[in-house]
Amino acid sequence: MFKVTASRKVLQSFGLATAISLATASAAFAGECPADKMKSNARPMVDYKPVGVTDVTLGSIDLGKQPAHIAGRELRFRKLTIEPGGIVPWHSHDDRPALIFVQQGEIVEYASNCLDPIVHKAGDLRPEVYGTSHWWKNLGTETVILYVGDVRKDPTDHNM
């Protein structure tokens, strides 16, 4: 029913770090596209492959077996590590809502509905919902660490 692959100590450390980071973040959803830069199909899909990215599922829950009875859906919690120059390839969130928390570093998002690149910094929380298609790149010299909670329908969907 619930799979955990990380130690309790790692998760407790993450919880403390998350609480501190969220408490000191200047805005809950920093790093959003400015309203005057939003435009449908502002950026075409690109076919980059993953580069310098490690994606580890820390735990998951089969939502069909929970009281909510959301059959065929899985709630996942993951850690993505993106090395300098690393790329998270183009993907869509039309059927896979997610929340991304930037725990360390700075990363640039190239969204289909924003004319400008969007910079995300440590402490930022990025909602990814229907209408979000994008790719990310670490343009800095520091490794980026993201924590991702998403609701996946297709267990063979390995999009980041």
Side-chain angles (χ1 to χ4, degrees), residues 47-66:
D47 188 24
Y48 295 134
K49 302 300 179 215
V51 174
V53 180
T54 303
D55 182 355
V56 177
T57 298
L58 301 174
S60 64
I61 299 171
D62 181 343
L63 295 174
K65 296 178 180 176
Q66 297 300 307

Side-chain angles (χ1 to χ4, degrees), residues 4-153:
V4 177
T5 55
S7 72
R8 209 176 272 283
K9 188 172 184 177
V10 169
L11 294 175
Q12 287 171 341
S13 296
F14 169 72
L16 178 60
T18 299
I20 292 168
S21 293
L22 288 175
T24 59
S26 61
F29 294 121
E32 291 187 15
C33 184
D36 64 333
K37 299 295 182 174
M38 301 258 328
K39 180 184 175 207
S40 295
N41 301 314
R43 190 175 304 280
M45 182 178 140
V46 294
D47 188 24
Y48 295 134
K49 302 300 179 215
V51 174
V53 180
T54 303
D55 182 355
V56 177
T57 298
L58 301 174
S60 64
I61 299 171
D62 181 343
L63 295 174
K65 296 178 180 176
Q66 297 300 307
H69 300 292
I70 306 172
R73 293 286 179 157
E74 173 186 62
L75 174 62
R76 290 188 300 179
F77 189 69
R78 302 178 297 145
K79 178 182 179 182
L80 270 67
T81 304
I82 304 105
E83 299 300 329
I87 294 174
V88 175
W90 184 275
H91 58 279
S92 170
H93 289 275
D94 284 351
D95 193 34
R96 188 174 50 92
L99 285 171
I100 308 293
F101 176 73
V102 183
Q103 192 270 324
Q104 174 182 301
E106 182 174 297
I107 192 160
V108 178
E109 173 188 5
Y110 300 90
S112 64
N113 59 355
C114 189
L115 293 168
D116 291 344
I118 305 165
V119 177
H120 300 282
K121 299 177 182 183
D124 287 355
L125 183 66
R126 171 69 163 130
E128 299 181 327
V129 296
Y130 180 83
T132 303
S133 293
H134 58 177
W135 67 282
W136 299 55
K137 184 164 187 178
N138 181 353
L139 298 175
T141 58
E142 179 182 12
T143 298
V144 172
I145 297 175
L146 306 176
Y147 285 96
V148 182
D150 66 351
V151 178
R152 178 170 69 162
K153 182 176 184 179

